[in-house]
């Protein structure tokens, strides 16, 4: 175990949620400022390029495989769709227990998300944000944590991924619903960790994540009454 590297990784685990929480209270309420914490997701490039002296080509070969994705895209699509169905089914099953007007108010107050910009923000979340999260949480944090602490990294980074999102919605729901969402996010993250560990391919994880995020935006469109 590299103790210095492990300490750095644990610090990075808590950095995004802390920055997200701070942005909620000290920065203007719009999506741009509420997303500034995501610059931390670019840290893997700094780590690999500066500290490990690797080239972009080496980074690409270690984490992305076009060949692997071509071989497994149908399987990834099935996994992504399955997760999306569970996500969508859970929403419709519990929809009656949610105060959707409160959710809308929170989204508008926190990130200025509304019926005018939700499509553009949705495209960003599906295409770009999903890649940045997979780069940071799977191809960097999980990968490096597994090298240092073994299988415990599945659960630690899974909970950390959930904790990162908790900082966005922690005051939106009642405690039971909050716990359900948190557990669901943790399980999702552990599944994504497993996929990355098995295939060592960021394309595959990105594809699955994008499918799930598409469902998330679909639900947001329902909440806002657009569809």
């Amino acid at each position: 175990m590299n103790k210095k590297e492990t300490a750095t990784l644990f610090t990075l685990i808590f950095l995004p949620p802390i920055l997200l929480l701070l942005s909620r209270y000290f920065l203007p309420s719009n999506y741009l400022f509420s997303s500034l914490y995501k610059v931390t997701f670019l840290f893997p490039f700094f780590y690999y390029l500066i500290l490990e002296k690797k080239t972009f080509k080496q980074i690409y070969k270690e984490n992305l495989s076009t060949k692997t994705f071509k071989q497994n895209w149908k399987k990834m699509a099935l996994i992504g769709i399955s997760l999306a169905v569970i996500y969508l089914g859970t929403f419709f099953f519990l929809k009656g227990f949610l105060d959707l007007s409160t959710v809308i108010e929170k989204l508008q107050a926190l990130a200025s998300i509304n019926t005018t910009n939700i499509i553009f923000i949705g495209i960003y979340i599906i295409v770009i944000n999903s890649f940045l999260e997979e780069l940071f949480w799977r191809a960097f944090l999980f990968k490096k944590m597994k090298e240092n602490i073994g299988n415990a990294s599945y659960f630690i980074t899974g909970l950390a991924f959930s904790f990162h999102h908790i900082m966005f919605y922690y005051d939106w729901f009642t405690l039971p619903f909050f716990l359900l969402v948190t557990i669901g996010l943790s399980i999702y993250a552990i599944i994504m960790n497993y996929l990355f560990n098995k295939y060592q391919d960021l394309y595959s994880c990105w594809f699955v994540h994008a499918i799930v995020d598409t469902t998330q935006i679909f639900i947001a469109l329902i909440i806002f009454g657009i569809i």
Side-chain angles (χ1 to χ4, degrees):
M1 178 189 295
N2 185 327
K3 292 183 178 180
K4 185 177 181 180
E5 182 176 71
T6 303
T8 300
L9 295 173
F10 271 103
T11 300
L12 287 171
I13 277 178
F14 293 103
L15 190 58
I18 290 173
L19 291 178
L20 175 56
L21 185 61
L22 290 174
S23 71
R24 292 190 61 174
Y25 291 99
F26 297 105
L27 293 178
S29 298
N30 61 57
Y31 192 78
L32 174 62
F33 283 102
S34 68
S35 299
L36 284 179
Y37 76 95
K38 293 177 183 179
V39 296
T40 56
F41 292 169
L42 299 176
F43 184 83
F45 288 113
F46 168 81
Y47 193 93
Y48 287 128
L49 292 170
I50 307 299
L51 300 182
E52 293 194 349
K53 309 295 183 184
K54 293 180 179 179
T55 64
F56 277 108
K57 186 177 181 179
Q58 288 174 315
I59 296 171
Y60 179 87
K61 285 186 174 181
E62 287 181 5
N63 298 291
L64 297 110
S65 173
T66 304
K67 181 180 179 180
T68 300
F69 180 67
K70 286 181 177 179
Q71 291 175 341
N72 295 290
W73 76 267
K74 291 182 181 179
K75 185 184 299 183
M76 295 302 108
L78 181 60
I79 293 172
I81 292 171
S82 298
L83 291 171
V85 169
I86 293 172
Y87 190 177
L88 194 61
T90 302
F91 168 74
F92 280 113
F93 180 73
L94 297 173
K95 183 180 177 182
F97 299 96
L98 286 172
D99 184 349
L100 298 183
S101 61
T102 298
V103 174
I104 292 174
E105 290 175 4
K106 295 289 186 180
L107 286 171
Q108 291 175 334
L110 178 62
S112 296
I113 298 176
N114 52 54
T115 55
T116 303
N117 60 24
I118 191 171
I119 298 296
F120 299 102
I121 291 174
I123 292 172
Y124 160 77
I125 289 174
I126 293 167
V127 178
I128 300 176
N129 187 70
S130 59
F131 176 79
L132 292 176
E133 288 197 352
E134 289 306 312
L135 171 69
F136 183 78
W137 291 105
R138 248 61 69 184
F140 178 66
L141 271 180
F142 168 70
K143 182 178 181 179
K144 288 295 182 181
M145 290 284 281
K146 193 170 188 304
E147 291 174 359
N148 283 279
I149 63 173
N151 289 333
S153 57
Y154 281 96
F155 303 99
I156 292 174
T157 57
L159 288 172
F161 178 85
S162 178
F163 185 60
H164 150 231
H165 289 82
I166 287 171
M167 292 300 100
F168 193 82
Y169 66 77
Y170 70 89
D171 59 347
W172 291 15
F173 312 118
T174 60
L175 181 59
F177 197 84
F178 170 86
L179 292 175
L180 178 64
V181 174
T182 302
I183 292 171
L185 274 169
S186 299
I187 294 173
Y188 165 78
I190 291 171
I191 291 172
M192 297 303 290
N193 287 343
Y194 170 80
L195 292 177
F196 183 80
N197 186 64
K198 182 174 182 177
Y199 297 104
Q200 296 294 308
D201 174 40
L202 195 56
Y203 282 135
S204 299
C205 293
W206 183 17
F207 186 50
V208 173
H209 197 141
I211 293 173
V212 175
D213 277 354
T214 299
T215 306
Q216 175 180 303
I217 301 304
F218 179 74
I219 290 174
L221 294 176
I222 293 174
I223 291 175
F224 276 95
I226 297 175
I227 57 175

